[in-house]
Amino acid sequence: MIPAEEAAPGPRGHQLSATDVTVAYDGADVVHDAALTLRPGEVTALVGPNGSGKSTLLRTVARLQRPRSATLTIDAGTDALALGPREFSRRVALLLQGRPTPSGLSVRDVVEFGRYPHRGRWGGADPGGRAAVDRALALTGVAELADRGAEHLSGGQLQRVWLAGCLAQETGVLLLDEPTTYLDLRYQVELLDLMRDLADEHGIAVGVVLHDLDQAAAVADRIVLLAAGRVVAEGPPEDVLTPQRLTEVYGIRIEVDTDPLTGRLRTRALGRHHTRSERLGTTS
C-alpha cells in the first residue's frame, strides 16, 4: 500500500447518524433502540461478543438490513432513507465479509464495479473513473494484480480487491465489516493504517466492525460496545474498554493495560490456565 496522502484528494466526508434503530429477525428483536454517529475525520469501531448485533447495526445504517424502526440522516438532516440507491451509494460504501469469489473477471474489472454510482443510467461516461480505480488499486497494494483473474487470488488478496472497489466508489462514509478477516499480520496493520489515513488526510467517516479489541483501541477515535443487541458504552477507547465492563460483557476475565511501546490500550482475556503462577497457586 502507499500512504493515502500520496493519492489525489478524496471526497468530502459526510456525517452519518442513526437513532432509534431496532431490528428484528423472525419476529424477535436483535438490535434494540441503538444509536450510532459516524463523524467526518473519525474512525468509529463497533465491538462486542458474537451475536451482539454489531454487524447487523452496520448493515442497517448501510441500508442493507431493513429495520423495524430507525431514523437515518446524512449531514444537516438529509433523510438517508429517502435517498435513491445511486445517490446513497455516492455517499456511503460498505465492505461486507464473506463476499463470493468473482469468476471470469480481472482484478481491475472487479474494482471498476465500485464506480457504478458515478456512471450514467445506461453505464455512460465516467470521466474520473480510470484515475479513481488506479488510486484504489495503489492504496490497497494490488496494482500489480490488476490484470490477473480474480478467481486466482488468495483470500487475503481478494479481500484487498473488494476494499479497492469500495475506495473507487469515492464516498464520504466508508463502512467495513470485519475487514481484517483473511489478512496476514502485515496487511492487517496496513489496513488499519489506511483507515487512519482516510480519516486523517481525507476527512472520511469510517465505521468498522472489529473482533480484535487491541486493533479497535489502536485505530479508533471512538468505540461503540454492544452486548445482546444494545449499545452498552460509547466513547474514546480509554473510557469504553475498562476491565470491569469488558469482563461483564464478554463473560471472561479481561485485563487492560497500556502498551509501553505504542502507548495504546492493550487487553488480555484470561482463562482458567492463563498464568503459570496462578496454576501453581502463588497468586489470588
Side-chain angles (χ1 to χ4, degrees), residues 59-140:
R59 289 172 60 91
T60 302
V61 301
R63 302 200 329 185
L64 287 186
Q65 177 68 48
R66 183 183 296 275
R68 191 160 65 79
S69 64
T71 299
L72 188 63
T73 59
I74 292 180
D75 295 333
T78 300
D79 182 357
L81 295 174
L83 294 174
R86 190 177 295 270
E87 180 60 28
F88 184 78
S89 295
R90 291 189 188 122
R91 305 189 190 197
V92 179
L94 170 66
L95 175 64
L96 286 171
Q97 56 176 314
R99 286 189 171 190
T101 300
S103 180
L105 297 172
S106 71
V107 166
R108 180 175 289 276
D109 291 335
V110 174
V111 177
E112 285 177 346
F113 283 135
R115 296 300 300 169
Y116 76 92
H118 303 279
R119 299 191 184 105
R121 176 170 243 172
W122 308 111
D126 177 20
R130 178 78 184 195
V133 169
D134 286 343
R135 283 195 299 271
L137 289 167
L139 281 168
T140 52

Side-chain angles (χ1 to χ4, degrees), residues 41-66:
E42 289 189 358
V43 177
T44 300
L46 284 69
V47 301
N50 290 337
S52 61
K54 52 191 183 295
S55 291
T56 299
L57 178 58
L58 193 80
R59 289 172 60 91
T60 302
V61 301
R63 302 200 329 185
L64 287 186
Q65 177 68 48
R66 183 183 296 275

Side-chain angles (χ1 to χ4, degrees), residues 2-261:
I2 62 173
E5 59 267 23
E6 293 184 19
R12 180 178 67 87
H14 298 293
Q15 177 165 305
L16 181 62
S17 300
T19 56
D20 303 320
V21 179
T22 297
V23 183
Y25 290 148
D26 298 326
D29 289 349
V30 295
V31 173
H32 310 267
D33 298 320
L36 177 67
T37 298
L38 306 176
R39 299 174 178 84
E42 289 189 358
V43 177
T44 300
L46 284 69
V47 301
N50 290 337
S52 61
K54 52 191 183 295
S55 291
T56 299
L57 178 58
L58 193 80
R59 289 172 60 91
T60 302
V61 301
R63 302 200 329 185
L64 287 186
Q65 177 68 48
R66 183 183 296 275
R68 191 160 65 79
S69 64
T71 299
L72 188 63
T73 59
I74 292 180
D75 295 333
T78 300
D79 182 357
L81 295 174
L83 294 174
R86 190 177 295 270
E87 180 60 28
F88 184 78
S89 295
R90 291 189 188 122
R91 305 189 190 197
V92 179
L94 170 66
L95 175 64
L96 286 171
Q97 56 176 314
R99 286 189 171 190
T101 300
S103 180
L105 297 172
S106 71
V107 166
R108 180 175 289 276
D109 291 335
V110 174
V111 177
E112 285 177 346
F113 283 135
R115 296 300 300 169
Y116 76 92
H118 303 279
R119 299 191 184 105
R121 176 170 243 172
W122 308 111
D126 177 20
R130 178 78 184 195
V133 169
D134 286 343
R135 283 195 299 271
L137 289 167
L139 281 168
T140 52
V142 294
E144 71 279 5
L145 304 176
D147 297 322
R148 184 179 298 184
E151 68 269 25
H152 301 305
L153 302 182
S154 69
Q157 289 172 328
L158 189 57
Q159 181 80 336
R160 288 185 282 139
V161 170
W162 286 124
L163 175 59
C166 289
L167 297 183
Q169 202 169 323
E170 291 193 311
T171 61
V173 179
L174 178 61
L175 308 176
L176 307 106
D177 189 7
E178 299 184 34
T180 56
T181 302
Y182 305 120
L183 299 183
D184 62 28
L185 286 175
R186 171 192 170 187
Y187 285 113
Q188 287 184 36
V189 172
E190 291 196 352
L191 178 58
L192 297 175
D193 286 343
L194 178 57
M195 282 191 277
R196 278 265 42 113
D197 290 338
L198 292 170
D200 295 339
E201 303 297 332
H202 298 288
I204 303 301
V206 179
V208 56
V209 170
L210 291 170
H211 270 298
D212 190 311
L213 296 177
D214 290 354
Q215 288 183 353
V219 73
D221 299 286
R222 304 185 72 78
I223 289 181
V224 177
L225 176 63
L226 292 102
R230 300 183 186 276
V231 175
V232 297
E234 186 272 336
E238 60 271 20
D239 292 345
V240 174
L241 302 180
T242 65
Q244 298 84 358
R245 183 177 288 124
L246 293 177
T247 295
E248 180 179 353
V249 166
Y250 283 89
I252 189 173
R253 178 180 163 193
I254 298 178
E255 297 293 338
V256 180
D257 62 12
T258 301
D259 189 307
L261 179 62

